[in-house]
């Protein structure tokens, strides 16, 4: 069962997620609101920080934590470092989902480990690129989808933090990239196959480039390439899509995170919305 709570920073009308029924499950939602009448409209970074702080409220001393990757997740890591330095948290262990998160956490003296040593994680906190009304996600535009999925799948709870631009009625609906990590060997072969798999959705597949002005491919922390899928129409059945992608030889992982989030904290222009299962 899913429920909604709303922390508002103004008296504006709250956002209500658009219901998209799925054949494989049905969920009901209820809501309550907490309002502040005089709070100013905050910048996007301020809202991300507010949402990150709310997520960190769930962290308790002694926990093993999955540390996400991305701009919003970076606020989470900063807050954890602050709470550790002031003694408000202690004895936590972080499992980073990327090299850049590892570097940030290490610089803040957050104790770090790996899944090998801590195969059970109490709580993971990470961002998302798309969130649908059923709390299913697209993740991995930052390139860390494989490690993110491994860490978050090993977590008892997974809190997602995002801004309201990430809300979609159906996955792929933003028209932005849905990443698929593939081995370098014959990557073009898999690019063509991935595009063909979603031909009816108007899918275009592109190899992700490094973004340094060259034509060099982007290389993940795991030494793989990423094929980004761009959809003209949303994915109708995320579970079937994920199964089809994973069945292809040479595919390492995809950016559909289905049935994994236990709660989603959305930062919007008027405040923070919390959606939970």
């Amino acid at each position: 069962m899913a429920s909604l709570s709303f922390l508002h920073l103004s008296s504006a009308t709250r956002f209500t997620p658009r219901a998209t029924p799925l054949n494989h499950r049905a969920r009901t939602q209820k809501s309550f609101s907490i309002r502040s009448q005089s709070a100013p409209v905050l910048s996007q970074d301020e809202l991300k920080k507010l949402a990150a702080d709310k997520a960190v409220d769930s962290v308790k001393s002694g926990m093993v934590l999955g540390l996400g990757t991305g701009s919003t997740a970076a606020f989470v890591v900063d807050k954890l470092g602050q709470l550790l330095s002031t003694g408000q948290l202690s004895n936590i262990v972080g499992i980073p989902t990327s090299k850049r998160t590892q570097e940030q956490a290490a610089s803040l003296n957050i104790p770090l480990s790996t899944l090998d040593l801590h195969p059970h994680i109490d709580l993971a906190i990470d961002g998302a690129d798309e969130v649908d009304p059923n709390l299913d996600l697209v993740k991995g535009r930052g390139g860390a989808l494989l490690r993110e999925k491994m860490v978050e799948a090993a977590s008892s709870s997974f809190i997602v933090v995002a801004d309201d631009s990430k809300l979609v009625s159906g996955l792929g609906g933003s028209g932005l990239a849905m990443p698929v990590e593939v081995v370098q060997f014959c990557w073009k072969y898999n690019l063509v196959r991935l595009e063909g798999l979603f031909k009816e959705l108007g899918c275009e597949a592109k190899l992700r480039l490094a973004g340094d002005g060259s034509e060099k491919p982007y290389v993940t922390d795991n030494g793989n390439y990423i094929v980004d899928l761009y959809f003209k129409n949303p994915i109708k059945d995320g579970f079937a899509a994920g199964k089809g992608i994973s069945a292809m030889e040479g595919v390492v992982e995809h950016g559909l995170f289905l049935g994994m989030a236990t709660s989603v904290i959305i930062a919007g222009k008027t405040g923070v919305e919390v959606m939970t299962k």
Side-chain angles (χ1 to χ4, degrees):
M1 179 179 292
S3 64
L4 301 178
S5 64
F6 300 87
L7 172 59
H8 280 264
L9 299 182
S10 75
S11 59
T13 302
R14 66 175 178 261
F15 171 87
T16 301
R18 292 160 288 186
T20 301
L22 297 181
N23 292 332
H24 60 273
R25 59 186 164 182
R27 297 174 181 160
T28 59
Q29 298 179 330
K30 60 183 179 179
S31 65
F32 65 91
S33 62
I34 303 172
R35 295 177 181 271
S36 172
Q37 300 296 326
S38 59
V41 175
L42 303 179
S43 70
Q44 187 175 34
D45 277 349
E46 288 171 328
L47 285 168
K48 286 181 178 181
K49 185 178 184 302
L50 184 66
D53 288 351
K54 184 165 183 62
V56 173
D57 286 344
S58 298
V59 177
K60 308 299 180 186
S61 294
M63 278 186 167
V64 178
L65 301 173
L67 305 179
T69 296
S71 60
T72 308
F75 285 118
V76 173
V77 177
D78 280 343
K79 183 66 173 182
L80 291 172
Q82 175 189 334
L83 294 177
L84 281 171
S85 68
T86 59
Q88 294 170 268
L89 281 178
S90 61
N91 300 318
I92 67 169
V93 175
I95 313 296
T97 54
S98 66
K99 291 180 180 178
R100 60 184 178 275
T101 297
Q102 180 178 355
E103 292 169 357
Q104 179 193 8
S107 72
L108 296 169
N109 297 313
I110 298 174
L112 299 176
S113 188
T114 66
L115 274 177
D116 292 331
L117 297 177
H118 292 86
H120 173 76
I121 297 173
D122 297 302
L123 170 66
I125 305 176
D126 203 354
D129 301 308
E130 293 184 5
V131 180
D132 79 2
N134 296 291
L135 309 192
D136 289 329
L137 317 168
V138 168
K139 286 178 49 56
R141 288 180 192 151
L145 61 155
L146 173 59
R147 298 190 187 192
E148 288 174 339
K149 189 170 285 189
M150 290 178 68
V151 168
E152 287 145 16
S155 302
S156 296
S157 297
F158 173 29
I159 298 176
V160 175
V161 185
D163 64 80
D164 60 0
S165 69
K166 305 302 191 298
L167 294 168
V168 295
S169 60
L171 298 181
S174 69
L176 301 176
M178 197 286 282
V180 179
E181 187 163 346
V182 301
V183 297
Q184 294 191 28
F185 176 73
C186 294
W187 63 265
K188 190 176 293 185
Y189 167 71
N190 274 322
L191 182 150
V192 172
R193 291 205 296 169
L194 287 165
E195 187 170 277
L197 182 64
F198 299 105
K199 183 178 180 180
E200 75 281 2
L201 298 178
C203 176
E204 182 179 9
K206 296 181 180 180
L207 180 69
R208 184 178 297 188
L209 301 181
D212 58 1
S214 72
E215 292 300 310
K216 294 180 180 178
Y218 174 87
V219 178
T220 70
D221 287 347
N222 316 298
N224 299 312
Y225 289 169
I226 288 181
V227 173
D228 285 320
L229 305 182
Y230 298 86
F231 297 92
K232 290 184 179 178
N233 299 295
I235 297 169
K236 298 176 182 177
D237 185 334
F239 285 89
K243 185 177 180 179
I245 295 170
S246 295
M248 292 186 179
E249 302 82 5
V251 165
V252 178
E253 192 52 83
H254 58 76
L256 295 171
F257 284 55
L258 308 173
M260 294 179 65
T262 50
S263 64
V264 177
I265 299 174
I266 296 291
K269 295 298 182 182
T270 58
V272 171
E273 173 188 340
V274 182
M275 300 185 289
T276 58
K277 292 182 180 180

